[in-house]
Amino acid sequence: MQGKRVLLGVTGGIAAYKIPYLVRSLIQLGAEVRCVLTPAAKDFVSPMVLATLSGNEVYSEFWNKETGVWTNHVELGLWADVMLVAPATANTISKMA
């Protein structure tokens, strides 16, 4: 994982509380991690915790309501070597299908 860029999509399943452990493990393996949270994921894991562990801003909205700055989701897709969606709930998988 050394030097890989991982875009981590966190969904609103109960297993989302374990995502900080996943982020920490990816960082220890040498990956750079950026996180995108669904609104429901924020009920299970704090964006501040993920921002602290990853060292990057956590995205959960299309634009920052305080500053009005747009989140360039296309840039995130181009930045990443791989995207991981976790936890991959049945609801999320059905929406992706």
Side-chain angles (χ1 to χ4, degrees), residues 3-4 9-12 15-17 28 32 34 36 42 48 50 54 56 64 67-68 70 80 96:
K4 297 295 180 188
V10 184
T11 64
Y17 81 93
Q28 286 177 344
E32 184 178 351
R34 292 190 183 172
V36 178
K42 292 190 280 185
M48 185 179 293
L50 296 180
S54 69
N56 292 304
N64 186 322
T67 64
W70 178 61
M96 290 167 55

Side-chain angles (χ1 to χ4, degrees), residues 37 41-42 45-52 54 56-60:
L37 275 68
K42 292 190 280 185
V45 63
S46 167
M48 185 179 293
V49 169
L50 296 180
T52 302
S54 69
N56 292 304
E57 181 181 357
V58 173
Y59 303 95
S60 62

Side-chain angles (χ1 to χ4, degrees), residues 36-89:
V36 178
L37 275 68
T38 64
K42 292 190 280 185
D43 293 335
F44 298 101
V45 63
S46 167
M48 185 179 293
V49 169
L50 296 180
T52 302
L53 288 173
S54 69
N56 292 304
E57 181 181 357
V58 173
Y59 303 95
S60 62
E61 303 291 337
F62 283 113
W63 69 86
N64 186 322
K65 293 178 182 175
E66 296 171 4
T67 64
V69 175
W70 178 61
T71 301
N72 192 343
H73 60 281
V74 175
E75 184 179 309
L76 288 172
L78 294 173
W79 170 85
D81 293 319
V82 64
M83 180 173 187
L84 171 64
V85 177
T89 62

